[in-house]
Amino acid sequence: MSSYWNERTKNLSPYVPGEQPKDRQFIKLNTNENPYPPSPKVIEAIKQAANDSLRLYPDPECTDFRKAVAQRYGVKLEQVFAGNGSDEILAFAFGAFFEKTILFPDITYSFYPVYADLWDIPYCPIPLQEDFSIQISDYKVPSDGVILPNPNAPTGIALSIEEILSIAEFMERQKKVLIIDEAYIAFGADSAVAYIEKNKNLLTVHTLSKSASLAGLRAGFAIGNEKLIEGLCRIRDSFNSYTLDRLALAGAKAAIEDYVYYDEINKRVINTRERTAKVLSELGFIVSPSSANFLFVKHPKTSGAELFANLRERGILARHFNKNRIADHLRVSIGTDDEMDKFLSACREIIIN
Amino acid sequence: MSSYWNERTKNLSPYVPGEQPKDRQFIKLNTNENPYPPSPKVIEAIKQAANDSLRLYPDPECTDFRKAVAQRYGVKLEQVFAGNGSDEILAFAFGAFFEKTILFPDITYSFYPVYADLWDIPYCPIPLQEDFSIQISDYKVPSDGVILPNPNAPTGIALSIEEILSIAEFMERQKKVLIIDEAYIAFGADSAVAYIEKNKNLLTVHTLSKSASLAGLRAGFAIGNEKLIEGLCRIRDSFNSYTLDRLALAGAKAAIEDYVYYDEINKRVINTRERTAKVLSELGFIVSPSSANFLFVKHPKTSGAELFANLRERGILARHFNKNRIADHLRVSIGTDDEMDKFLSACREIIIN
């Protein structure tokens, strides 16, 4: 605490990102990074952009990157917003659209309540079902907005498009915004992007951190109705006119264009996930059905904290959330086949001993 | 307007950055970019960082960049905050420290009232003197905070260290924060950094956009008491954990380390400014005494809008603010000697005709 802080700063409980170890080599399965490198075309585009034009401001409208997104997803340029990772876009979206009570699951991306507190937005966490699935009727009640990740994190469980549209249509009658956070959409769930024209209150938010192997580049985008995008721009331009630098803009554009490369590596991640889930089940783990690049697991013989510590001892980092209902679980990012073999061996050792 | 926007979004008047022309080649004297390229060491550091590790999140604490700043300025690591340009740092600072009425000049960086509106902070613009100087007694009144650029923009006029410390000491008695925005400090004014240990309410904010020729990289830093830095971190970590990507971090660190290069190019900018100011005065312009990389000028024979349009026609972009008290002025960034010669020729033509 400090007497220089205002009430907001005093009362916030900031988000704590997963550990980025510095001194020791770990098999890093804790922050859902992609185990495969970015496309060589991305690296090349960044090197090309590392030139004297860095003395000039970047394009504040991120036109070239947004054009690539618009073309790839078959939407208009005015329906695309570019941001410094999906985290920044979500922060802007909370600031742009919500002010009274909003709804999101009790178990979900733990940044949502933090954004709400930042902007002083009341929220009501809706409990997931016993099996961690989302019951859509819970969200068809009056609210100032809803945000749902699809698939949900850290559970990995996906909603169907029909379920999402049914919430969107209910909320459109109240002129309220439904945000679908599609950070993990490339790993198996169905995207709602095709429905933004029909559902004008539907905003989909995307990141290049996971599916484009670019967590270190900080780029994301949102797709939605022109008026939603304009709302995001109004907040961004009241905060920082240029949040993507020239290098990130060049790399992000190249990544969107090289979807052939990324489809291939993400298919590999999905295959590794399915194989890992199968072996974990055989070892007695309870594994939630995942459409993401991670698995949400628990084992009747160990607590989440113990399993986390035992894995860490063996040089493997997973993510443990010391929270109600999920303290016995771990979220495990999908690494390479080799990394997952080592993870599975460690699990075998821990569970059998 | 849109029915999806909240009250904040509806009421904001976002900042409008200077034009970044796309189709036509201009002599670009409108956004205070440095006319000289970034240090070759910066370009090299960025190329080195453009590798497969981009798949991993960046260091959320920006340790290496902050260490370089701490070493360069003789402060502790915990007294340094790193951000996506000084604009982002200012947005965080408004969000962290202010909630009741704050003070800043009526003529100053036009983003300040926008930040205040974003966070719903009341503000009272304090009129500059007739000659555009700041009268420090105006700020020694009860307030929830003060922000002053030194030198001020768009006037270029600097305050002395004694004046700044006298405001800081008055405000410390009320435990209120004084932000000194040192975006243009490298061009002649005296920095307040050396006084942050003694004045615990003093936060200095810096950018690499101007003096380090890196407007396109989006990097800045703040120096102040540990508790002020912690307050900024609390807001940042409630907004976006990683706002600087791996490339920006690498480039920013290299820039801070290569101050020999930057001292040299910034000295050239200062020399060009002095020469340009002298010729403009001879042409009958009224030129405010500038400690920045721009000049704030007007001419009795033409309005600001006319001069702007006439220069634009001749391929020269300057910045015109269509605002009370300064509508007759132009802010002209300092370019290379060659660019300023062309600017002066154009002025001669416009004024004599």
Side-chain angles (χ1 to χ4, degrees), chain A residues 185-205:
Chain A
I185 201 75
F187 304 101
D190 289 327
S191 172
V193 166
Y195 303 91
I196 59 122
E197 192 72 61
K198 187 159 168 283
N199 297 274
K200 301 204 184 306
N201 63 331
L202 179 62
L203 186 77
T204 65
V205 178

Side-chain angles (χ1 to χ4, degrees), chain A residues 110-236:
Chain A
S110 47
F111 221 134
Y112 298 160
V114 181
Y115 294 133
D117 287 340
L118 178 71
W119 296 111
D120 207 14
I121 301 160
Y123 58 92
C124 175
I126 307 281
L128 295 181
Q129 302 292 94
E130 263 313 295
D131 65 356
F132 294 144
S133 66
I134 287 170
Q135 180 157 304
I136 60 162
S137 60
D138 291 345
Y139 297 87
K140 292 177 169 183
V141 295
S143 78
D144 203 42
V146 170
I147 176 158
L148 295 170
N150 192 37
N152 195 11
T155 66
I157 301 174
L159 285 171
S160 72
I161 277 295
E162 293 71 30
E163 290 175 307
I164 288 168
L165 296 183
S166 130
I167 301 174
E169 280 153 25
F170 174 87
M171 294 180 66
E172 173 62 18
R173 292 197 283 277
Q174 306 169 59
K175 290 283 167 203
K176 297 299 177 192
V177 175
L178 170 62
I179 300 177
I180 302 296
D181 179 350
E182 298 197 345
Y184 300 101
I185 201 75
F187 304 101
D190 289 327
S191 172
V193 166
Y195 303 91
I196 59 122
E197 192 72 61
K198 187 159 168 283
N199 297 274
K200 301 204 184 306
N201 63 331
L202 179 62
L203 186 77
T204 65
V205 178
H206 308 255
T207 177
L208 272 62
S209 296
K210 327 287 182 181
S211 58
S213 297
L214 287 171
L217 193 69
R218 317 307 305 130
F221 56 94
I223 301 181
N225 173 265
E226 290 85 335
K227 281 291 172 188
L228 299 186
I229 302 307
E230 194 188 333
L232 291 174
C233 290
R234 290 178 71 83
I235 300 292
R236 192 256 327 269

Side-chain angles (χ1 to χ4, degrees), chain A residues 4-6 8-9 12 33-34 54-55 57 95-96 98 172 210 213 216 218 227 234 242 245-246, chain B residues 4-6 8-9 12 33-34 54-55 57 95-96 98 172 210 216 218 227 234 242 245-246:
Chain A
Y4 300 118
W5 299 355
N6 64 17
R8 176 190 297 108
T9 307
L12 281 172
E33 289 141 338
N34 200 308
L54 283 172
R55 76 175 185 85
Y57 281 98
F98 304 150
E172 173 62 18
K210 327 287 182 181
S213 297
R218 317 307 305 130
K227 281 291 172 188
R234 290 178 71 83
Y242 316 87
D245 61 59
R246 285 175 171 264
Chain B
Y4 300 117
W5 299 354
N6 63 17
R8 176 189 297 109
T9 307
L12 281 172
E33 288 140 337
N34 201 308
L54 282 172
R55 74 175 185 86
Y57 282 98
F98 304 149
E172 173 62 18
K210 326 289 182 182
R218 316 309 304 130
K227 282 291 174 188
R234 289 178 72 84
Y242 314 88
D245 61 58
R246 284 175 171 266

